[in-house]
Amino acid sequence: MTSGMLTLRAAHPDEAAALTELCLRSKAVWGYDAAFMAACRDELTLTPETFGSSLLQVAVRDGRVIGMVQVGIAGEVAQLDRLFVEPDQLRSGAGRILLDWAKAAARQVGAVVMIIEADPGAAGFYRREGAVDAGTVASGSIPGRCIPKLSLAL
């Protein structure tokens, strides 16, 4: 369900717990069981330290945080660390707006490429946005699982 205009603002460290829960709700849309989701919790947890080491924005609609994006920068390479949208806001355009912000923010600090290690269910979204397959990487949460690695020219 969408209604009001979407705005972006900086994420605040005191939102870490709420943003972690948003990430988990969004990840769960791909039908993972409780054991899988529990295994992902540590990797998806934002800490106050996260806010000092990366660029973070939240999407807000009608006073409610409905999405978030996190980008790490290492020279000319940006890493899309997180992009999650509330399940009831999927296909509302929020993900595209957050990704557009991430690309612009990365370009502004000198990045020329963005690496995305995507959930297999989300990889299609990134491909539609211009990302290309660049192999696979080991999951940070599930031993033995590989996930798509994508590259997006900035």
Side-chain angles (χ1 to χ4, degrees), residues 106-127:
R107 277 193 300 268
Q108 189 172 15
V109 295
V112 297
V113 66
M114 181 175 288
I115 302 302
I116 305 164
E117 296 175 5
D119 185 284
F125 165 76
Y126 297 114
R127 290 179 186 118

Side-chain angles (χ1 to χ4, degrees), residues 8 21 26 52 67 81 89 142 151:
L8 299 182
E21 294 306 315
S26 183
D81 294 323
Q89 296 291 313
I142 310 296
S151 177

Side-chain angles (χ1 to χ4, degrees), residues 14-112:
D14 64 353
E15 295 177 302
L19 293 175
T20 296
E21 294 306 315
L22 184 159
C23 293
L24 289 162
R25 284 190 298 276
S26 183
K27 179 96 172 160
V29 303
W30 303 115
Y32 298 122
D33 64 21
F36 184 100
M37 292 305 300
C40 293
R41 179 171 280 280
D42 283 349
E43 187 176 8
L44 295 179
T45 296
L46 282 86
T47 64
E49 294 74 33
T50 306
F51 291 76
S53 62
S54 55
L55 307 171
L56 287 115
Q57 284 282 292
V58 295
V60 180
R61 181 175 279 135
D62 298 327
R64 174 181 168 223
V65 173
I66 58 115
M68 63 88 56
V69 64
Q70 177 189 2
V71 182
I73 307 292
E76 294 186 341
V77 178
Q79 176 80 30
L80 186 68
D81 294 323
R82 292 180 178 84
L83 193 161
F84 290 100
V85 175
E86 286 286 4
D88 69 346
Q89 296 291 313
L90 293 172
R91 302 195 184 287
S92 72
R96 179 171 291 113
I97 290 168
L98 287 163
L99 182 60
D100 286 347
W101 176 89
K103 293 187 303 188
R107 277 193 300 268
Q108 189 172 15
V109 295
V112 297

